[in-house]
Structure formats: structure tokens, C-alpha cells
Amino acid sequence: MKKRHFTLLILTAVLLLTSCSGNSKKPDNKSNSLTIMGRKSDMEKSYMTRIFDKYETDTGNELNIVAIEDDEFETDAVKKFADGDAPDIFMHFNNADLNRFDVANNFYYLNNESWVDDLTNSSRAYCQDKEGNLLGLPFWESSVSGCFYNKTLLDSLGLKPAATQAEFDVLCQVLTDIGYTPICWPADGCTWMFQFGLDPIFADDPSLLERLNKNEISYSDIPAVTKMVKWVSDAADKGWFGSDYLEDGWSDISLIMGSGKAVMTFIWDTWFYTDFEKGNKYSVDDFALMPAFMNTADNGTYEGGNLNMMMVNKNSKRLEQALGFLSFCADAENYNMAFDEISTVSCFKGQTTNIQSSMVTDAGASIAANERVSTAASKIVGYSADDVSAAFDRMFNKKTDVAGCVKLMDDYRIKKAKGQV
């Protein structure tokens, strides 16, 4: 009896192992499906998972989502392309890192796709190369960056927003003279502000950007860069950033703006809906938008959103299926489902379910006249917001002057660029 019982136990164990083994070796149903590659955090965005699920449900086709860890994405993706393991659809921003993927030989130009005319002007411009070829479908959240100001406070003081650099400088000085901090400039760890000043320099003169990226010139050879750095330095010295700006960081912006301690800040609209804390003296309804002024564009500037693009591998065996997937995503019914209740500026003309800030819509005419595609942070080879901030930090702390700050910006940029080649 003992032997028979032992035999039964063995047979049961074998059956269990066989069952487990069968599950672990379950055929990959997605081995022949459309492959989409991107950063892990990007692939997990709610609007991305919504569109993926809807595509599979509506078409019966499966998707193979290749999500690469964020900190390994650029190097791993380059290796996959080099090893012949490129995806059918590749998600990437139109920035300097994209140059590592041999765009002309790897990606299909989308100029003639049926959905192109439904793109907004700004989203289409972001996704084009310098020859005007459309590189990808902008399927992403977007924002508008500029100078957000406390309109309630300005109105109470009998002051108006600025429309030119000269007016902005006068406004800052008047506010300082009557005891207000004009600009919340969170120098402790916040690094995005500098790109707003650099954008007009390079967005308005693409040849200048090309020469900089070819190392034919440096920041030090461009007077407008020095003008911007000097303006920031002078603003700090005049007290336009307040007395505590070197200690102010990301977590302080909400209280500073909500309390009225500072009147303006250079930031983006979605911040007011994701990070601006409630319960302060002033709420989102007290704010409005004007251009950011940093002495590089007389009428100021707005920075358009950085958009993740769906790019199609021109060498894919599933080229037509990949183009079909983009058409699915660009259908109004589908993108409105994906972006329902998402706080974003519209990327499509037919986008209606997303939340758009009244601050942005009210400033629509000004934005149309002065918005520029994000350029400095996305297209200058070797650009690092942290490096630029480090150079300015030395200047703010009187460890170098304006010329020294510009030189440090060059040194950091060139070192970073060499590492990207």
C-alpha cells in the first residue's frame, strides 16, 4: 500500500510539473503582432493604455508593447536598431537624441497620410524635421509654457501685463519698488526656465542651431546668449527674484504663488492642475498668461509642448499595418476616447474631450503670434538643463561673472555632446 501511495504521489507531482511547464512555455501569441517600442513610463500613461486596449478590442489584432526602462531607453533602443531588432513603431521625442537613430534611413515620412490636416499647427511643427518632413504622429499630452501672472493682484495694484520686453522690465521694477517679488524663480533644483530664453535664439535662426551642433560656433560667439545671461544676472541683483530664490525649489512654488508672495512665474499651464495646491489665498482662477521675457525676443515667447511621436519603421515587414495603427490613433473617436479628461493642449483640431486651461484659451492670439517649438532643450546637442542651471548657480553665488557663466555653459554642453556621439 505504501508503494502504491508513493507511486500516486509521483504521478501527481509529474502532472503538476507538466501543467506548470506548459504554462511557462505558453506560445507567444504576439510574436507576429505589431511591435511598439518606447520608454516604460511612457507606455504606462493612461491615454496610451487606453488606445492600445481599444485597438486590440476593435480590430482583433494584438500589440507587442516593448517597454524599456527609462534610464536605459536611449542606449538600449540604439542597440536594438543596430542589431536588426527594430520595432514596427518607435516612440520618441523630436530632440537631439533622435539623431542617433539615422532618421532618414529608418523612418517613414508621414507627409501624405490622411490625418495630417487634423494636426494643430504647433503639434505638426514639432514633429517635422528641418526639411519639413513629418516624422511621427504626435500622440501625447501637451502644454504651453510662458509667464503666468496673478491677474487679481495686478488689477488691485492698477498694473497691466506686459507685451514687450521693455514693458516687462518696467513692471518688474515697479513691483519691486512697492514691495512685491515680481518673479518666483526657484533656483534650488528647478532648471527649465533657461530654455525659455534660449528658444527664440535658435528657433528663429535654424542655421545658428545647425552651426552650434556642428561645433562651428559656441554660445560665446552668439551675442544673444550673453544678453540673456546678463538679463537673468541683473534681474537677480535688482531683487526681481526676491531674497530667497536660491533656497526656493519645486515644493515652494505653490505656496509662493498661492500666497501672493510673488506675482509671476515661468512655468506651464498643466502645473496649475497637477501641482498647484488648493487652500491658499489665490487659486488657479486668479492667474492669467503672458509671454516669458528674458531679453531674447522683444515680444516675448511661449514654449510649445514636447511631444512623444509615433514613428513608423520604413523597413518593417508590417509597414501597412503600422500605418493603419497610426490612422486608428488619429481617428477623432479614438483619440477623444484616449484623452478624455486629460489636461492637455490639443494636438488635433478635432480634440474635444481633453481639459484645456482658460488661461491658454484666453491668451490664444498672443500664443499664436509668439509661440515657438521647444528648441533649446530638445534640439541642441549636448543640452542639459542641469548643466545650464549649474553654470547659472555659480554666477548667482558670485563664483563667476556673465562671461564665465556662458563659458561654463559651453564647456558642459560640449562635454555632453561628445558623450552622445
Side-chain angles (χ1 to χ4, degrees):
M1 292 292 292
K2 288 183 179 179
K3 182 176 181 181
R4 182 170 179 272
H5 182 64
F6 179 75
T7 302
L8 287 173
L9 288 175
I10 292 295
L11 287 171
T12 301
V14 169
L15 288 171
L16 286 173
L17 287 171
T18 302
S19 175
C20 292
S21 176
N23 287 336
S24 66
K25 294 182 179 180
K26 183 180 178 180
D28 183 4
N29 294 327
K30 297 189 177 183
S31 60
N32 293 313
S33 59
L34 199 65
T35 299
I36 304 176
M37 180 187 294
R39 289 177 180 81
K40 185 175 186 294
S41 63
D42 293 348
M43 298 292 95
E44 294 172 349
K45 295 284 189 182
S46 62
Y47 43 86
M48 297 305 300
T49 58
R50 287 178 190 174
I51 200 67
F52 294 156
D53 290 345
K54 192 173 194 301
Y55 176 79
E56 291 187 327
T57 300
D58 289 6
T59 67
N61 299 326
E62 289 188 282
L63 297 173
N64 180 25
I65 307 301
V66 179
I68 301 176
E69 293 294 336
D70 290 21
D71 58 353
E72 300 170 356
F73 175 72
E74 297 295 346
T75 53
D76 280 12
V78 168
K79 187 175 186 302
K80 285 182 181 294
F81 273 82
D83 292 344
D85 193 21
D88 304 304
I89 295 172
F90 184 54
M91 294 200 66
H92 203 286
F93 293 85
N94 191 10
N95 56 25
D97 281 323
L98 187 60
N99 295 326
R100 304 166 68 183
F101 292 90
D102 192 3
V103 173
N105 289 318
N106 281 322
F107 299 107
Y108 185 88
Y109 293 148
L110 302 165
N111 307 336
N112 299 317
E113 294 303 294
S114 60
W115 43 261
V116 172
D117 288 340
D118 190 35
L119 298 179
T120 62
N121 292 337
S122 59
S123 64
R124 181 173 179 172
Y126 177 85
C127 296
Q128 292 176 324
D129 64 14
K130 62 182 179 181
E131 284 80 30
N133 294 306
L134 188 65
L135 303 179
L137 173 71
F139 200 87
W140 201 243
E141 60 189 275
S142 186
S143 61
V144 173
S145 298
C147 179
F148 288 83
Y149 65 95
N150 189 324
K151 63 182 180 181
T152 302
L153 187 51
L154 280 191
D155 286 346
S156 71
L157 297 171
L159 298 173
K160 296 180 179 180
T164 66
Q165 182 70 53
E167 290 179 4
F168 186 75
D169 290 350
V170 169
L171 176 61
C172 288
Q173 193 56 54
V174 169
L175 287 169
T176 302
D177 291 344
I178 60 177
Y180 288 89
T181 296
I183 305 169
C184 171
W185 186 280
D188 185 15
C190 296
T191 62
W192 63 80
M193 299 84 74
F194 309 105
Q195 67 201 51
F196 301 159
L198 292 170
D199 272 354
I201 300 173
F202 299 102
D204 296 354
D205 189 349
S207 65
L208 204 61
L209 176 66
E210 186 173 4
R211 293 174 64 200
L212 183 77
N213 284 340
K214 288 182 177 178
N215 206 31
E216 295 174 356
I217 58 173
S218 63
Y219 287 142
S220 301
D221 299 315
I222 305 172
V225 175
T226 298
K227 280 180 60 180
M228 184 204 83
V229 175
K230 187 176 189 309
W231 183 88
V232 175
S233 177
D234 290 345
D237 290 343
K238 292 174 183 176
W240 292 359
F241 301 157
S243 58
D244 301 323
Y245 75 99
L246 291 176
E247 287 78 45
D248 293 333
W250 173 259
S251 61
D252 301 303
I253 307 173
S254 185
L255 180 60
I256 292 171
M257 299 306 297
S259 65
K261 180 180 178 181
V263 181
M264 303 176 281
T265 193
F266 297 163
I267 208 161
W268 48 93
D269 62 296
T270 54
W271 176 85
F272 283 90
Y273 300 92
T274 58
D275 295 274
F276 188 37
E277 297 175 3
K278 297 179 180 179
N280 289 312
K281 181 177 180 180
Y282 297 102
S283 71
V284 62
D285 295 330
D286 294 299
F287 289 87
L289 173 62
M290 65 176 161
F293 295 93
M294 293 177 68
N295 208 31
T296 56
D298 188 56
N299 294 320
T301 189
Y302 301 95
E303 182 189 46
N306 292 298
L307 304 172
N308 221 338
M309 307 181 295
M310 293 181 177
M311 305 175 68
V312 174
N313 179 358
K314 67 190 296 184
N315 305 307
S316 168
K317 295 179 180 179
R318 290 174 284 274
L319 177 60
E320 291 303 317
Q321 187 181 349
L323 292 173
F325 175 77
L326 264 61
S327 294
F328 181 90
C329 294
D331 179 87
E333 177 185 344
N334 297 330
Y335 62 65
N336 276 315
M337 179 282 302
F339 286 97
D340 186 31
E341 295 297 308
I342 299 295
S343 179
T344 174
V345 173
S346 297
C347 289
F348 301 93
K349 294 175 183 176
Q351 205 163 348
T352 58
T353 58
N354 54 307
I355 302 169
Q356 290 203 83
S357 164
S358 60
M359 295 180 288
V360 171
T361 55
D362 290 347
S366 177
I367 293 170
N370 300 296
E371 184 181 35
R372 291 167 173 85
V373 174
S374 178
T375 303
S378 60
K379 297 185 179 181
I380 294 176
V381 176
Y383 186 91
S384 163
D386 288 339
D387 287 346
V388 174
S389 181
F392 272 83
D393 187 63
R394 289 188 63 81
M395 182 179 69
F396 288 147
N397 286 285
K398 306 305 179 185
K399 295 179 180 179
T400 191
D401 57 10
V402 169
C405 178
V406 176
K407 183 180 184 303
L408 280 173
M409 290 168 60
D410 269 327
D411 292 345
Y412 294 149
R413 175 186 58 83
I414 293 169
K415 181 179 179 180
K416 187 81 69 176
K418 287 180 178 178
Q420 293 177 348
V421 175

